[in-house]
Amino acid sequence: MASRSKTTTGLAVLFGVLGTLHFLKPRPFEQIVPRVLPRKKELVYASGVAELACAAGLLHPRTRRVAGLASAGLLVAVFPANVQMAADLQGNGSRSAQAIAWARLPLQIPLIRWALKAAREGRAA
């Protein structure tokens, strides 16, 4: 069985935790869904399912390639929600909350790179 890098394991854990939170505490996620999108709760649940599926797929070598590619796609797809959160905090958030929200936007880049690295690990399996 092919080994898994620490970044792939970390990404799987991150997706697992966040995917679970989409079901346990959906309200904060609903609030950052871009306003133009309808059915916010359903979108939050759908993205939670996608995150849990990616997490599980990243853990197994046979599914890691597809899960890595899906994870990269998911990170790109949810980026507008992160932008929405940063924009919303701009007017009414604390300075530290604003700084964190804007600073986490470029952090999507290494997460996407990790997802693509996981896809390459899966190809080697």
Side-chain angles (χ1 to χ4, degrees):
M1 183 187 280
S3 65
R4 172 174 73 236
S5 70
K6 289 181 182 178
T7 56
T8 297
T9 301
L11 191 60
V13 169
L14 178 68
F15 276 135
V17 169
L18 289 173
T20 301
L21 285 174
H22 278 67
F23 293 95
L24 296 178
K25 300 223 180 248
R27 185 76 179 122
F29 296 101
E30 289 173 44
Q31 292 173 338
I32 66 170
V33 173
R35 289 177 199 36
V36 298
L37 296 175
R39 307 184 75 154
K40 294 178 183 347
K41 183 171 278 209
E42 290 86 348
L43 288 172
V44 167
Y45 288 152
S47 63
V49 167
E51 289 180 354
L52 291 171
C54 287
L58 288 168
L59 295 175
H60 196 280
R62 293 175 99 185
T63 55
R64 191 169 299 139
R65 183 176 190 290
V66 171
L69 294 172
S71 297
L74 181 60
L75 288 163
V76 170
V78 301
F79 187 75
N82 295 329
V83 172
Q84 183 71 59
M85 178 176 64
D88 288 347
L89 287 172
Q90 194 62 33
N92 58 11
S94 69
R95 282 184 144 334
S96 60
Q98 291 173 23
I100 290 168
W102 287 107
R104 66 180 275 214
L105 295 177
L107 292 177
Q108 294 290 110
I109 295 168
L111 290 174
I112 292 167
R113 289 182 64 205
W114 292 352
L116 295 174
K117 178 183 175 190
R120 288 189 302 275
E121 289 175 15
R123 188 174 12 160

